[in-house]
Amino acid sequence: MDTHEWPPIIQGGMGIGVSNWLLARSVSQAGQLGVVSGTGIDSVLLRRLQDGDRGGHMLRALAAAPWPKMAQSLVDRFYLPNGRTPGKPYARLPLWTLNPHKFRTMFAMLGGFVEVWLAKEKHSGLVGLNLLTKVTLPTLPILYGAMHARVDAVLMGAGIPREIPGALDDLAQHHATQIRADVVESTAKSPTWVHFDPSIWREQRTRDLPRPAFFPIIGANSLALLMAKKATGSIQGFVIEEPRAGGHNAPPRGPKRFDAEGQPLYSERDQVDYAALSRLGYPFWLAGGFGRANGLREAWGHGARGIQVGTLFAYCQESGLSTDVKTVLGRTLAQGPVEVFTDPLASPTGFPFKVAQIPGTLSDPDLYAKRTRICDVGYLRDMYMTPTGTIGFRCASEPVEDYVRKGGAAQDTINRKCLCNGLMAAVGYGQTQPSGPELPIITTGDGLTEIAALLGSTGTSYSARDVIHYLLGTSDNP
Ligand SMILES: Cc1cc2nc3c(=O)[nH]c(=O)nc-3n(C[C@H](O)[C@H](O)[C@H](O)COP(=O)(O)O)c2cc1C
């Protein structure tokens, strides 16, 4: 087990672009573990460059990348010093495939590098990287890029990241590595693998790369045991995420049951046995509804090292959520509690996904119905096996006829939302489609009303440091 003195507060990874480098940096400088989101980070980097790279941060980090020629070619191709002409769509990359173009892989590496490098620039605090296990194709190059920026920890949930610890070991040696691709309807006898060979990026071969700690994000004791015993390399701790958490939630165990509003019902079977978890001997952090005044103390009482908090950090000054979204949320909260719906259908992954019911966003059924379906970002597509044995891609949020043509069931498309475009819009990088601008989708945890405690009676915004003081009980706030 590693000897790092890991801090009590982990600022949860929040994609796409909500836990950006600025937020992670502030948290890290305050002595806690700041975590950048690596989900969709290649597209985020590209869109920041096309928006003129306000502050020059992307260009500064790209200039520090150990692959100068690649970084320069990215800048030459996509950087617009004055930003896009109003109304002009962002240039896009081809969607990920099992054998992506070298260019696509390169952007993912640079995206991982840039975000971590900026979060760690000029201080010695700890910075982690969050990725979704479900989004398999970009994972290895993003990890490799982040490792060149000396990322301290990698945290992954939304699936079982069994092969990631071994992949981190390989990448630290610059060795080729692979992770398993989840292919639905596969009739193949052997699994499909996603390969990554760092040796094609010769520019950096001699660099020594520290292997980051690995913390799987899990929702059940059985998964903790599985990761501790069957992962392909060592793990250094766990984040235990409970159903109150923002973003995707683990589905309930056992038969599917719903409350009167259609939200999944969790039962005793979903409760984590903290005592059994402690006996595994790894440090662990509790997530999901622990972002409150006595949350840390409660977690310590369960034997945890600390807590992972998302929602409170998502709305602080430094987070990537657009000013528009923060303003609308602040206004809506001032009028009363905001409903957070655990939507069993919104995410094309099939995992429950929490959606804050905020006017002007995709949570409004009329606005959702008006959107023309398009799949042009594509991170959450499923891989499936075609009748001829090749691998195809489909997303339950894409145009229904396309999904059905690819063998998907029409009923699986009902009420699915395009999280890729909706989440990009929430952080100010919404695409301009032929049918109009993409609208945001806002995810938060059930503990959204805690934000009111931080906003105080004046309703002014708060910083990441305010959140940390609040959680540690060292502030004057209520
Ligand atoms: C806006 C938002 C986006 C999130 N995105 C991710 C994500 O991309 N990956 C992930 O592992 N967890 C994600 N989460 C979960 C957080 O990392 C964290 O575990 C959770 O928010 C903790 O619960 P809390 O919201 O009650 O504090 C997200 C949470 C929020 C609020």
Side-chain angles (χ1 to χ4, degrees):
M1 205 157 293
D2 81 329
T3 52
H4 252 300
E5 265 311 307
W6 295 103
I9 297 171
I10 301 179
Q11 161 257 306
M14 295 178 281
I16 296 176
V18 176
S19 62
N20 56 10
W21 63 271
L22 198 61
L23 172 58
R25 177 179 170 76
S26 296
V27 173
S28 171
Q29 284 181 308
Q32 309 300 327
L33 179 60
V35 177
V36 295
S37 168
T39 304
I41 198 66
D42 44 354
S43 299
V44 168
L45 170 60
L46 221 65
R47 292 190 183 188
R48 286 181 186 150
L49 287 173
Q50 293 176 67
D51 282 343
D53 184 25
R54 269 159 280 158
H57 305 296
M58 300 303 111
L59 295 185
R60 189 170 76 257
L62 285 167
W67 312 282
K69 282 194 206 130
M70 286 199 297
Q72 193 53 50
S73 67
L74 172 67
V75 172
D76 292 345
R77 194 160 153 191
F78 290 104
Y79 174 51
L80 301 174
N82 300 316
R84 287 169 303 140
T85 320
K88 190 165 183 261
Y90 286 105
R92 281 181 291 247
L93 293 170
L95 303 192
W96 279 93
T97 63
L98 272 171
N99 297 303
H101 191 281
K102 200 174 168 188
F103 225 52
R104 179 92 218 206
T105 308
M106 182 173 107
F107 291 154
M109 276 168 54
L110 288 168
F113 174 84
V114 162
E115 205 67 4
V116 174
W117 188 87
L118 287 168
K120 287 185 77 88
E121 189 183 12
K122 293 190 186 149
H123 68 96
S124 58
L126 297 169
V127 169
L129 170 76
N130 176 272
L131 287 166
L132 297 178
T133 310
K134 167 80 189 163
V135 186
T136 325
L137 298 175
T139 294
L140 294 172
I142 293 175
L143 287 174
Y144 193 57
M147 286 167 71
H148 280 78
R150 301 287 192 267
V151 69
D152 298 286
V154 172
L155 304 94
M156 288 178 64
I160 307 173
R162 210 174 73 86
E163 291 111 17
I164 298 295
L168 293 174
D169 294 336
D170 290 337
L171 295 176
Q173 305 293 322
H174 304 284
H175 290 166
T177 192
Q178 57 183 11
I179 51 177
R180 196 187 285 249
D182 202 5
V183 178
V184 296
E185 291 152 21
S186 174
T187 50
K189 294 205 176 68
S190 47
T192 303
W193 296 95
V194 182
H195 301 277
F196 176 68
D197 183 359
S199 69
I200 59 169
W201 313 103
R202 293 183 189 284
E203 292 171 71
Q204 43 61 45
R205 254 188 150 171
T206 53
R207 283 171 74 104
D208 127 68
L209 285 191
R211 193 271 202 190
F214 186 65
F215 301 140
I217 305 171
I218 50 166
N221 289 76
S222 54
L223 290 183
L225 201 61
L226 184 121
M227 286 303 296
K229 301 259 182 259
K230 300 254 170 79
T232 54
S234 70
I235 58 172
Q236 281 62 47
F238 296 103
V239 173
I240 314 297
E241 204 178 60
E242 305 196 3
R244 287 172 56 78
H248 284 99
N249 298 144
R253 296 153 79 82
K256 282 187 185 170
R257 292 183 308 127
F258 299 92
D259 68 11
E261 281 147 23
Q263 307 184 93
L265 274 175
Y266 290 84
S267 68
E268 274 185 7
R269 290 183 67 175
D270 300 297
Q271 260 161 26
V272 174
D273 179 344
Y274 301 124
L277 197 70
S278 298
R279 287 197 290 277
L280 287 178
Y282 294 87
F284 63 93
W285 287 260
L286 300 184
F290 288 87
R292 50 194 154 78
N294 57 355
L296 188 54
R297 194 171 296 277
E298 195 182 306
W300 283 335
H302 292 307
R305 171 70 58 93
I307 54 180
Q308 170 169 291
V309 174
T311 301
L312 286 190
F313 285 112
Y315 295 92
C316 74
Q317 285 149 8
E318 294 94 329
S319 90
L321 281 175
S322 72
T323 313
D324 287 354
V325 165
K326 289 179 192 170
T327 310
V328 172
L329 183 89
R331 258 194 232 130
T332 318
L333 267 177
Q335 288 157 14
V338 171
E339 191 197 335
V340 180
F341 183 64
T342 306
D343 194 330
L345 297 177
S347 172
T349 63
F351 287 108
F353 186 75
K354 286 216 163 49
V355 182
Q357 307 297 299
I358 301 180
T361 71
L362 276 188
S363 63
D364 177 333
D366 291 337
L367 295 175
Y368 168 70
K370 277 191 194 138
R371 178 179 181 269
T372 306
R373 283 177 173 240
I374 182 170
C375 182
D376 57 352
V377 183
Y379 291 111
L380 294 177
R381 290 169 306 155
D382 275 330
M383 282 178 246
Y384 71 99
M385 187 159 279
T386 65
T388 56
T390 57
I391 303 289
F393 292 86
R394 68 182 184 220
C395 178
S397 301
E398 74 181 315
V400 178
E401 59 280 15
D402 292 348
Y403 188 69
V404 171
R405 185 172 37 78
K406 296 174 192 172
Q411 82 179 50
D412 290 347
T413 63
I414 296 170
N415 283 334
R416 298 285 187 212
K417 304 210 159 74
C418 177
L419 296 194
C420 293
N421 273 304
L423 293 174
M424 289 293 267
V427 291
Y429 308 129
Q431 182 59 289
T432 305
Q433 303 288 13
S435 55
E438 289 284 1
L439 292 178
I441 186 160
I442 314 294
T443 181
T444 79
D446 290 335
L448 184 59
T449 41
E450 282 295 314
I451 290 176
L454 276 154
L455 286 171
S457 53
T458 55
T460 48
S461 63
Y462 58 90
S463 69
R465 259 178 201 273
D466 292 333
V467 177
I468 291 166
H469 282 307
Y470 175 64
L471 296 172
L472 292 173
T474 52
S475 75
D476 299 333
N477 282 334

